[in-house]
Structure formats: C-alpha cells, structure tokens
C-alpha cells in the first residue's frame, strides 16, 4: 500500500495550483458577482491539458490517470469551483464516455476537439420530471430509420449555454423502460435545438446552467453512442466517474475554505492574542483538517480503483457523499472563524459556502449516493 504521490502527480498538482492562483483567483469574486463565464480561462485550461486529462494522447488528451485528475480538480476548485465544474463535466461526463463507448469516427470528430479544449461539452440527463428518478426520461428520440427525431426538454445543464457538443439522453422505446434509452450527440446550432435563459444560482455562478429545448431535432444514427438501448447504462457508468470529479471539486472547496480560515486565524486578534491561540478555534481547525483528509482518502481510493480497472461505483458514491458533506461543514466553519468578515465578499469564504451546496445535489444527490451505497452493501 503506497500513499505517496509520484513526481508526475506532484508536478500536475503544482501546475494546477499555479494556474488557479495566477489566472483564476484575480477574477473569481467578480465572475461570481456578474455570473461571467470564464471563456478565456477555459481556453487556457484547454491549452494546459486540463480539459481532457485522462484521454489517450492519440485523441488529443493528456493520457493521465484519475489520481492526477483528482489532484488538478482539487487545486482548481480550491480557488474557483465554477471553473472546477466546467472542467469536471468536460472531462468525466463527456470525454470519458465518448472515449469508452464512442466509435472511431465519433472520437475523431468530437472527442479530439473536446479533449484539446477547442470545444466544450455538456451532459444532458436531467429533465423537469426526471432528476433523481433518472429512468423516467420524457425526452423522446423517435427511431425514423436512418435517424432519430428528438423532442423534449432538458434542464440544469452545466455548460448549457457555452457548449458546442451535447450528449443527450432520450427515450426511444418506452416499453423497454431504461433499456429503451439512447445517448445521442447533438451539436450546438442544429435546427430545432434551442438554448433557454441562464439560471440565477446560489453558487458556482461563473459556470452557466441552462434549460435546453429540442423540437424535431434530426440526429443521424451514427451519432448514437453505444448500442441501441445502452443510453441509460451509458449515463450511469459515466456518472460513476463524474462523481469522483465532483468529490474532487468538493475537496477543493474544502481546501480553499480551510486554508483561508487557518491563515486568518494567524492574523486576526481577539482578547489580546491571535485567534489561533484560542482552543475554540484550534479545535475547529483540527476537525476541518481531519475531515478534509478523510474525504481525500475516499476520493483518491475511488480514483485508484478506477485506474486499476476495478469496480469503483460504490467507492465513488461514498467519496461524493462524504466530500460534499465535508465541503458544507468546513465552509460553514470557515465563515464562522472569520466572524463578520466571513459574511462579506472579499474574504472568499462566503462564496465557497454557497458553492459547496451544489456538490450535495448534482451528479446524484446525497440521497441517491446513499441508494447506490446501500444497494451495494445489501445485495
Ligand atoms: N452504475 C452502473 N449501473 C447502474 C448504476 C450505477 N451507479 N445505478 C444503476 N445502474 C443500473 C442498474 O444496474 C440497472 O440496470 P439493470 O436493470 O440492467 O440491472 C439500471 O441502471 C436501472 O437501475 P435501477 O433499477 O436501480 O433504477 P432505479 O430507478 O431504481 O434507480 C438511480 C436508479 C440509482 C436512482 C439512478 O436513477 C440515479 O443514479 N439517479 C441520479 C441521476 C443523477 O445522478 N443525475 C445527475 C444529473 S447529471 C449532472 O448533474 C451533470 C451536471 O450538469 C453537473
């Protein structure tokens, strides 16, 4: 059993940290306030290899392992959780599935520009009436022989307004239930594909979230990913890895809040001494650090299992469940340690507390993670 990171891991971690501190940090508060999508920053992330980290270099990716991905996600999200989710969706929900299940033509046409960061991807599973209950897909992909005709609505779509390539999950054969669902590649600008207004969110406000409408969108059969009826399994298998990405995002938010609280406790004085000298603060920091470490161990274990080719579905659910809960707790404590300053924008921790909440909701709520874990331990 080895707990040390390799030289390469440390280099990737440092590279992500430098990028986050030099490029993302200066505009993080402004982008949160104005809900500005970090287009230029995402372009740079693509150039640095952060948008297709685990993709084979022959398709333009970085050929890195999932541990490297977790480390980079943590560093990026420690500074800017919005950039973190943009990166996570592209890497684990779009590139991963295309590489694993796509045809060679799909990989050349879609994966290469996504992995190199020239194009951005979105993953479209959720619907107004199919959130946690994801098998209840209403969006229809009618089989028209040589193509599908897609009609329906998707919502809560991360990257929805800025993506170029959308993986859309839709029902083809209702009688077959979840085995009658397909995953289709739809491109921005296709006739009948409309992008609705941007949601005004509590957190991760610099990432964009939209409702999408499909009205008689014609999708050629060669744009189906995987076998006929594989779409739901495609989504579930993809989300197993996505949950590692969101756990890593939660680790990053935890790290950002913990570091800021620790540093603040060394300079802020109360009752004649720096507040770090008060046991009330020491105990909070000790708990925060311990929980961050525990969440890290779970997340790195899930990443390691994936890299070994072993089953990681339960471990990724555990990692996301625990890391997101930790992010909520640690960000709240960081605000508390900052007192009144924690409640205002310039100290960053109030943004981190708002950003943390979504990690308990998207890519499967905490309740869904418990379903996944319970089913695996009770089967
Ligand atoms: N991995 C692989 N397969 C899985 C799976 C997993 N984690 N969970 C379920 N499946 C498979 C089951 O094995 C089953 O297949 P078989 O019938 O062939 O055995 C099939 O999927 C259906 O599963 P269930 O019968 O268990 O279905 P269910 O309706 O009882 O529950 C669920 C399924 C686990 C609750 C599932 O619907 C689920 O995960 N819901 C949450 C969806 C989700 O995570 N949405 C996030 C949206 S994406 C997002 O947030 C992206 C973003 O923009 C940031």
């Amino acid at each position: 059993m080895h707990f040390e990171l390799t030289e390469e891991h440390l280099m990737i971690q440092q590279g992500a940290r430098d990028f986050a501190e030099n490029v993302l940090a200066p505009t993080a508060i402004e982008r949160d306030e104005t809900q500005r999508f970090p287009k230029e920053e995402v372009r740079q992330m693509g150039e640095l290899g952060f948008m297709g980290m685990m993709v084979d270099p022959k398709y333009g990716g970085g050929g890195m392992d999932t541990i490297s991905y977790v480390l980079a996600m943590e560093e990026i999200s420690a500074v800017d959780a919005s950039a973190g989710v943009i990166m996570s969706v592209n890497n684990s929900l779009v590139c991963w599935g295309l590489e694993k299940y796509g045809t060679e033509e799909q990989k050349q046409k879609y994966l290469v520009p996504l992995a190199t960061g020239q194009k951005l991807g979105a993953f479209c599973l959720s619907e107004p009436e199919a959130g946690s209950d994801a098998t209840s897909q209403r969006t229809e992909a009618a089989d028209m022989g040589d193509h599908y005709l897609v009609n329906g609505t998707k919502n809560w779509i991360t990257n929805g307004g800025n993506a170029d390539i959308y993986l859309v999950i839709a029902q083809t054969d209702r009688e077959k239930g979840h085995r009658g669902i397909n995953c289709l590649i739809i491109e921005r600008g296709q006739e009948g594909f409309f992008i609705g207004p941007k949601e005004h969110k509590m957190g991760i406000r610099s990432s964009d979230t939209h409702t999408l409408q499909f009205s008689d969108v014609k999708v050629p059969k060669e744009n189906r990913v995987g076998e006929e009826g594989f779409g739901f399994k495609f989504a579930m298998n993809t989300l197993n890895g996505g949950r590692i990405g969101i756990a890593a995002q939660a680790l990053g938010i935890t790290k950002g809040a913990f570091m800021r609280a620790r540093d603040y406790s060394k300079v802020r004085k109360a009752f004649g001494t720096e507040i770090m000298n008060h046991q009330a603060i020491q105990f909070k920091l000790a708990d925060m650090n311990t929980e961050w470490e525990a969440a890290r161990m779970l997340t790195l274990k899930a990443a390691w299992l994936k890299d070994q080719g072993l089953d990681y579905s339960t471990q990724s659910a555990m990692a996301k469940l625990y890391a997101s809960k930790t992010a909520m707790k640690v960000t709240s404590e960081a605000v508390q340690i900052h007192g009144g300053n924690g409640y205002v924008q310039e100290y960053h921790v109030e943004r981190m507390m708002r950003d943390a909440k979504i990690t308990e909701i998207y890519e499967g709520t905490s309740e869904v993670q418990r379903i996944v874990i319970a089913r695996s331990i009770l089967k």
Side-chain angles (χ1 to χ4, degrees):
M1 198 177 210
H2 298 287
F3 285 102
E4 300 93 27
L5 297 174
T6 64
E7 283 296 315
E8 196 188 343
H9 288 145
L10 292 169
M11 223 170 65
I12 292 161
Q13 186 181 45
Q14 189 61 49
R17 188 177 300 156
D18 292 345
F19 174 78
E21 281 168 7
N22 297 330
V23 179
L24 297 173
T27 55
I29 290 176
E30 174 266 310
R31 282 185 287 105
D32 169 68
E33 185 173 343
T34 59
Q35 304 197 70
R36 180 169 68 77
F37 185 85
K39 223 176 176 72
E40 169 54 23
E41 292 85 344
V42 170
R43 191 192 64 71
Q44 289 183 43
M45 283 162 73
E47 274 181 9
L48 290 167
F50 291 129
M51 297 306 280
M53 290 185 70
M54 295 167 286
V55 174
D56 191 317
K58 75 176 179 199
Y59 299 118
M64 293 173 233
D65 60 10
T66 315
I67 291 184
S68 304
Y69 171 57
V70 167
L71 297 172
M73 271 295 299
E74 184 182 34
E75 294 302 327
I76 301 277
S77 305
V79 168
D80 181 4
S82 293
V85 72
I86 296 165
M87 172 178 159
S88 177
V89 166
N90 200 71
N91 274 277
S92 34
L93 294 189
V94 184
C95 287
W96 184 84
L98 279 176
E99 183 168 25
K100 177 117 178 125
Y101 302 110
T103 61
E104 189 55 31
E105 291 70 31
Q106 289 169 351
K107 290 181 198 177
Q108 293 299 341
K109 186 170 177 190
Y110 298 112
L111 179 59
V112 172
L114 284 164
T116 50
Q118 290 158 295
K119 293 205 167 159
L120 186 66
F123 179 81
C124 313
L125 172 67
S126 301
E127 298 185 356
E129 290 171 79
S132 291
D133 184 11
T135 54
S136 297
Q137 293 288 307
R138 303 276 164 96
T139 296
E140 188 183 44
D143 190 337
M144 309 301 282
D146 65 338
H147 68 275
Y148 295 98
L149 209 54
V150 179
N151 280 286
T153 304
K154 294 286 173 185
N155 65 352
W156 312 124
I157 305 305
T158 305
N159 296 343
N162 283 280
D164 307 282
I165 295 159
Y166 298 75
L167 296 184
V168 180
I169 310 297
Q171 186 86 48
T172 296
D173 188 340
R174 243 164 245 293
E175 283 182 9
K176 290 189 179 155
H178 73 78
R179 295 195 181 90
I181 290 173
N182 284 309
C183 170
L184 306 176
I185 304 169
I186 296 185
E187 294 182 52
R188 183 190 190 84
Q190 266 186 252
E191 202 178 335
F193 174 23
F194 304 103
I195 298 170
K198 184 153 90 172
E199 302 290 349
H200 293 273
K201 307 192 296 278
M202 171 200 265
I204 55 162
R205 286 164 54 82
S206 168
S207 75
D208 69 321
T209 307
H210 291 256
T211 294
L212 308 177
Q213 295 277 355
F214 301 92
S215 174
D216 285 342
V217 179
K218 214 172 152 181
V219 183
K221 281 259 164 97
E222 64 260 27
N223 273 23
R224 187 187 69 225
V225 188
E227 294 298 307
E228 177 76 39
F230 184 67
F232 190 74
K233 274 293 177 76
F234 172 91
M236 291 297 111
N237 292 343
T238 301
L239 280 164
N240 287 333
R243 288 164 187 167
I244 298 177
I246 299 305
Q249 184 200 25
L251 288 182
I253 299 170
T254 301
K255 176 186 174 176
F258 169 73
M259 293 298 197
R260 284 186 178 276
R262 188 196 61 180
D263 294 350
Y264 184 81
S265 76
K266 292 181 180 174
V267 295
R268 172 73 183 179
K269 287 191 175 157
F271 304 103
T273 183
E274 287 78 14
I275 60 171
M276 69 172 178
N277 294 318
H278 298 302
Q279 200 176 55
I281 301 298
Q282 290 172 359
F283 280 13
K284 276 191 197 300
L285 289 170
D287 284 348
M288 289 156 82
N289 200 2
T290 304
E291 283 165 42
W292 172 30
E293 182 68 10
R296 259 186 132 232
M297 289 297 113
L298 277 174
T299 309
L300 287 170
K301 165 98 181 283
W304 178 83
L305 287 170
K306 180 165 171 284
D307 289 336
Q308 301 308 307
L310 299 168
D311 181 26
Y312 54 93
S313 53
T314 309
Q315 195 76 22
S316 69
M318 287 179 178
K320 182 181 180 289
L321 175 66
Y322 190 77
S324 58
K325 188 162 74 172
T326 301
M328 273 312 287
K329 186 166 170 205
V330 168
T331 53
S332 172
E333 289 290 56
V335 169
Q336 193 68 19
I337 289 171
H338 279 75
N341 284 334
Y343 207 66
V344 297
Q345 218 181 27
E346 67 181 284
Y347 287 84
H348 294 267
V349 287
E350 63 82 30
R351 171 170 54 86
M352 292 170 174
M353 187 174 156
R354 287 186 284 105
D355 287 349
K357 184 59 201 171
I358 192 62
T359 64
E360 293 189 313
I361 299 172
Y362 58 19
E363 301 205 23
T365 60
S366 296
E367 292 71 21
V368 163
Q369 307 313 324
R370 290 186 179 99
I371 292 175
V372 173
I373 298 162
R375 282 182 184 174
S376 106
I377 56 184
L378 296 171
K379 74 183 172 197

